[in-house]
Amino acid sequence: MSRRRDLLGVVPFFVFVGIFLIIPTLVVAIGSFLGTDNRVTFDNVTALADGYIVQAFIRSILLSAVTAILGAVIGALLGYAVVTAGPDSTVRRVVTSACGVLAQFGGVTLAFAFMATIGLSGFVTLFLRDSLGVDIFAGGVWLFDLPGLVLVYTYFQIPLMVIVFLPALDGIRPQWREATESLGGSTWYYWRHVAGPLLAPAFLGSTLLLFANAFSAYATAAALVSQGSPIVPLQIRSALTSEVLLGRENIGKAMALGMVVVVAVVMSLYAALQRRTSRWLD
Amino acid sequence: MRISISRRTALVAVSAVLVALSACSPPSSNNEAAASDAAKAKTAADMGGLDKLVEAAKKEGTLNVIALPPDWANYGEIIKAFTAKYGIKVNSAQPDASSQDEINAAKQLKGQGGAPDVFDLGTAVALANTSMFAPYQVATWNDIPAALKEASGTWVNDYGGYMSIGYDSSKVPAPASVTDLLGPAFKGKVALNGDPTQAGAAFNGVVAAALGNGGSADDISKGVEFFGALKKAGNFLPVDPTSATVESGQTPVVFDWDYLNVAQGAKLKGKVDWKTVVPANAVVGSYYVQAISADAPHPAAARLWQEFLYSDEGQNLWLKGGARPVRADAMKTAGTLDTAAFGALPQVTGTPVFLTEAQTKAANDYLAANWAKVVG
């Protein structure tokens, strides 16, 4: 009886997960195997082998990996600098509040902020061109292509890393460093055998979060890239809304399923890594 | 994750959710007999004449339109005029949506009061979805050339235009032909309205480039090659042009329908000297399509809207926006055409090319396979 009442408490959670996770996933998974006539078909899934879709997946994974690693490394260094400044310092307060804002600063607003700053007639672009004779777009309009996406994504990845990685950095006690040194360990030794192993799981976990964050980002790219669909979320947009190529809604769902698979693979790799590192820690 | 819970409870919870969701669709707001009459009406006469149609539409009091930007073919003024004339409120949803978005919205909102009543679609999307339209013949049906309508009135062409090049004459020299745009004067300046694998206007921009670059309606590879060369020269600008980008000088040259470029020029008069040219011997024309939704929540208002669009008044309002209305020839003969507006349309030299369905399909397939390689 009491067990049943315990289960009742979990119902809201299941309702929530059902509506926002399970049902959409089922819609995507089932739609991937249906043709436009609602018959079962494998055409949508085999269409994923098309050159341009494979390209989009490669670009998406590259973009996410590069911005995750850049964001993780720079964010971790920034976080470390903040932690050494002391728990109640002004620096720490300013940086953490700024990161809280900037990590959520994405989508259309972010894209337009970049366009207004370093776009074709952005004020920095014009200043560099008119005052210093430097044309940042001499080699092409890179802002509206993959390099531009790397820059803009990194901009929100760094603050996100600071936020998620600070707690782990806070867990490192200065006494451990003192202990290492009094026992004759070098700085290298401390990082290699004490702080490194302690921070590794959190660092990897945060990097993974950053990867997923970039992999699924859509609005920023949609606002920035209007010509061509270099990454998967934009290919899905095209499949759903194109007025030129019709009847591709379910290919869009197959692409979404592909994204789920990619994230699942990354998660399993992460889990395997976690197991390795935990053994290494023991 | 140490949550252990019986699988059955999970199932019960999820199925409860499913039941709750399926019970969520609101009932439709229109169940009157009059509405069903209007929904079946194939002409105004079926309703007992135009006056009766107006009466029924006024009773409904609302019209839902979708994907009609106010500065596209003068739709802003057309909607205002319709409301002023009949006192019917027009809800204009998602002005920047694509044709496919219109169809998606009609499917998703089916049976609800907010579903679109009427469509304004690109040809490809219209022909792929004829089962969703209600046939209707407007009072001026006989003025519309047979090639520009479906015989029973399931869909009817409404207005058309030619692919044109709009340019800021203070920034670039006047381009006489498509290939002029490859010159150094156009470095980082040429934009296409949308992605040709997604948007009809951009698609026709590629077709026009093909005609101007030695290709034909049957072979648009030359158009894709042209944009490839444009990109190589550093002239192609992967930015979606809007009034704002034109005004700020980000997109000094834009491939778009002539009525959109002309409207752009009118809108920015005094700020930007925006001129429109239809490139010589690369004239691609295309009509848009009107259709009434078979599931229109306001069937009478939907039909009255069509009557208004195809009346002299509606046709001249399109013309005022730079679009070429489908009854232009008949109205010219009858003397009801706004000749001042007609004279202001961009000059066309050469024979206009209208793509057939087969040519459109072949071009689409070619673009799907090759556009991303060249420009993506």
Side-chain angles (χ1 to χ4, degrees), chain A residues 44 64 78 90 93 99 107 155 167 176 192 199 201 217 231 245 263 273 275:
Chain A
N44 303 320
S64 310
L78 187 62
T90 320
R93 283 206 193 124
C99 285
Y155 185 84
W176 296 341
R192 169 72 185 78
L199 289 174
I231 56 173
L245 306 166
V263 173
L273 258 174
R275 274 200 300 277

Side-chain angles (χ1 to χ4, degrees), chain A residues 8-19 22, chain B residues 1 3 5 13 17:
Chain A
L8 204 65
V10 200
V11 166
F13 167 77
F14 274 109
V15 170
F16 185 85
V17 168
I19 294 178
I22 297 171
Chain B
M1 294 300 258
I3 301 169
I5 182 154
V17 170

Side-chain angles (χ1 to χ4, degrees), chain B residues 36-62:
Chain B
S36 69
D37 281 353
K40 286 205 234 20
K42 290 187 170 62
T43 58
D46 290 352
M47 298 279 298
L50 196 58
D51 296 344
K52 284 275 186 293
L53 176 65
V54 172
E55 202 178 303
K58 278 184 171 164
K59 201 176 273 173
E60 287 171 353
T62 317

Side-chain angles (χ1 to χ4, degrees), chain B residues 331-344:
Chain B
M331 284 169 66
K332 214 178 197 163
T333 314
T336 50
L337 194 72
D338 180 348
T339 43
F342 196 72

Side-chain angles (χ1 to χ4, degrees), chain B residues 121-284:
Chain B
L121 302 161
T123 313
V125 175
L127 292 176
N129 293 288
T130 47
S131 62
M132 297 176 63
F133 308 149
Y136 185 76
Q137 299 185 350
V138 289
T140 52
W141 175 255
N142 293 334
D143 281 357
I144 303 166
L148 303 178
K149 62 192 177 192
E150 194 275 334
S152 67
T154 305
W155 57 263
V156 187
N157 283 132
D158 45 14
Y159 56 86
Y162 299 114
M163 191 35 64
S164 67
I165 302 169
Y167 63 98
D168 182 343
S169 62
S170 68
K171 288 203 167 63
V172 292
S177 69
V178 172
T179 43
D180 283 1
L181 300 175
L182 294 166
F186 295 93
K187 195 166 169 61
K189 291 194 168 64
V190 185
L192 186 57
N193 185 14
D195 180 314
T197 59
Q198 290 178 45
F203 167 83
N204 283 285
V206 175
V207 178
L211 296 181
N213 197 30
S216 70
D218 293 309
D219 172 24
I220 65 149
S221 63
K222 288 274 192 268
V224 176
E225 271 170 36
F226 167 82
F227 279 101
L230 202 66
K231 189 177 164 112
K232 247 194 208 82
N235 293 8
F236 184 63
L237 194 53
V239 177
D240 214 11
T242 62
S243 280
T245 63
V246 168
E247 193 176 346
S248 65
Q250 286 184 72
T251 51
V253 181
V254 174
F255 270 92
D256 207 346
W257 292 121
D258 57 355
Y259 49 90
L260 299 181
N261 269 325
V262 166
Q264 195 75 274
K267 193 172 171 181
L268 299 174
K269 216 181 171 91
K271 293 181 196 157
V272 178
D273 189 21
W274 191 253
K275 292 198 165 83
T276 305
V277 56
V278 177
N281 306 318
V283 186
V284 178

Side-chain angles (χ1 to χ4, degrees), chain A residues 3-4 7 10 14-15 18-19 22-23 52 59 120-121 138 141 144-145 224 226-229 234 237-238 240-246 249, chain B residues 5 9 13 17-18 21 98-101 104 124-125 128 192 194-200 203 231 236-240 250 364 368 371 376:
Chain A
R3 186 174 140 73
R4 194 165 288 182
L7 291 179
V10 200
F14 274 109
V15 170
I19 294 178
I22 297 171
I23 292 175
Y52 64 98
R59 286 202 202 98
L120 289 159
S121 42
V141 196
F144 303 105
D145 217 329
L224 205 58
S226 61
Q227 202 49 262
S229 300
L234 297 184
R237 163 180 75 174
S238 171
L240 294 178
T241 65
S242 172
E243 53 186 33
V244 176
L245 306 166
L246 306 173
E249 291 87 346
Chain B
I5 182 154
T9 318
V17 170
L18 286 169
L21 277 184
S98 73
S99 297
Q100 188 58 45
D101 287 329
N104 295 351
V125 175
L192 186 57
D195 180 314
T197 59
Q198 290 178 45
F203 167 83
K231 189 177 164 112
F236 184 63
L237 194 53
V239 177
D240 214 11
Q250 286 184 72
N364 284 347
W371 179 256

